[in-house]
Amino acid sequence: MTEPVISLHEVSVRYATGRETVTALDKASMDVLPASSTAIVGRSGSGKSTLISVLSLLRSPASGSVRALGREIGHLSDSDLSRLRSTLVGTVFQSFHLDPTFSAADNVMLPWYFGSGGSRRVARARALEVLEVLGIADLARRLPGEMSGGQRQRVAIARALFTAPPLLIADEPTGNLDEDTALQVSDALYALPGTVGSAVVVVTHDTQVAKRAERCISITRGTLNYHDAVKPGARGEGV
Ligand SMILES: Nc1ncnc2c1ncn2[C@@H]1O[C@H](COP(=O)(O)OP(=O)(O)O)[C@@H](O)[C@H]1O
Ligand SMILES: [Mg+2]
């Protein structure tokens, strides 16, 4: 059986606010298989950001377990957890978060500027390689201000891929784009399982974007609902 990139088993997250406690995730279970695509949809306040923070290993659950790259995160020290996080996940945001004074290639190399290691030459070659994956190697020298929204988001996706993470998480990646560009950018994201082998998880309000993923999970008040045949453990076990 294929080991999931990350799997959540009955994960609950609660927030204490004054007198009441909000259950933002309620016994959420999901597997993210290697090279798969998953869309997560839900109304505002349903728990999407909380789920993303758990999948990104930024929040440890109050109860339940999280297993990532074969390791139970509850057993890890803070430094091991942060190392695992940087190996596991690349993130794409709605608002791109590019440095306006850096070229596309330098933006993609930001992990190297922050000390991911190796020589500058190798890092730049890697940046060009991931820009090529996104079909924008010709924009390597452009500044973000000289690019369209869709091109900027492709640069941000390329940056998230720089370290070859097995899991790419995109939080409303098309929220700032027009309809056509949104579909092009989501197609670029959903192509990644096939091209570079990363699993892709996309949070979106856009039903057209959600429909293009292999599977869709909706959240209602912290509860996950699956919209396909693949439930945790349903694929590859006992066959
Ligand atoms: N830091 C926090 N403190 C208290 N309540 C929070 C906090 N973050 C989120 N919540 C609550 O948890 C629930 C889920 O929030 P969130 O995960 O941000 O949902 P979404 O991203 O779908 O809008 C909401 O009821 C929200 O008000
Ligand atoms: Mg949110």
Side-chain angles (χ1 to χ4, degrees):
M1 137 184 200
T2 315
E3 171 99 28
V5 172
I6 186 165
S7 88
L8 273 47
H9 182 69
E10 302 204 342
V11 162
S12 297
V13 172
R14 297 179 195 92
Y15 297 109
T17 53
R19 239 166 286 165
E20 53 164 5
T21 303
V22 176
T23 301
L25 272 187
D26 194 6
K27 295 194 173 166
S29 295
M30 70 181 281
D31 287 348
V32 178
L33 294 175
S36 63
S37 61
T38 305
I40 294 170
V41 297
R43 302 166 76 142
S44 180
S46 58
K48 300 182 300 296
S49 293
T50 303
L51 177 59
I52 287 292
S53 65
V54 173
L55 289 171
S56 312
L57 309 185
L58 289 169
R59 184 180 298 282
S60 297
S63 63
S65 63
V66 177
R67 198 176 166 78
L69 301 181
R71 304 176 78 184
E72 205 67 51
I73 67 149
H75 299 160
L76 300 178
S77 65
D78 284 352
S79 61
D80 284 347
L81 184 60
S82 82
R83 233 189 322 268
L84 181 62
R85 182 186 308 127
S86 62
T87 310
L88 175 73
V89 59
T91 309
V92 175
F93 306 93
Q94 175 171 352
S95 51
F96 319 139
H97 291 313
L98 299 179
D99 185 319
T101 67
F102 271 29
S103 70
D106 283 324
N107 267 287
V108 172
M109 284 168 63
L110 275 179
W112 178 81
Y113 285 105
F114 283 111
S116 71
S119 75
R120 185 188 176 89
R121 193 177 54 77
V122 169
R124 177 149 181 108
R126 172 66 184 159
L128 293 176
E129 187 176 85
V130 280
L131 284 167
E132 182 70 49
V133 169
L134 273 300
I136 49 167
D138 54 323
L139 303 181
R141 291 171 189 280
R142 287 236 201 128
L143 294 171
E146 302 165 337
M147 290 181 244
S148 69
Q151 290 170 336
R152 281 181 220 169
Q153 192 57 303
R154 282 170 195 266
V155 173
I157 295 167
R159 180 180 56 200
L161 290 177
F162 182 80
T163 57
L167 174 63
L168 188 135
I169 293 180
D171 195 355
E172 291 282 356
T174 63
N176 281 352
L177 304 175
D178 67 62
E179 216 174 302
D180 289 344
T181 310
L183 293 184
Q184 287 161 17
V185 166
S186 66
D187 284 346
L189 278 167
Y190 295 142
L192 297 175
T195 52
V196 299
S198 297
V200 173
V201 175
V202 176
V203 171
T204 183
H205 273 102
D206 185 331
T207 51
Q208 293 305 314
V209 169
K211 268 180 15 197
R212 293 161 114 89
E214 282 166 5
R215 91 173 162 170
C216 183
I217 297 174
S218 67
I219 314 188
T220 38
R221 275 182 254 117
T223 301
L224 305 191
N225 317 282
Y226 298 86
H227 300 282
D228 65 359
V230 188
K231 294 201 169 160
R235 186 142 95 186
E237 267 180 15
V239 281

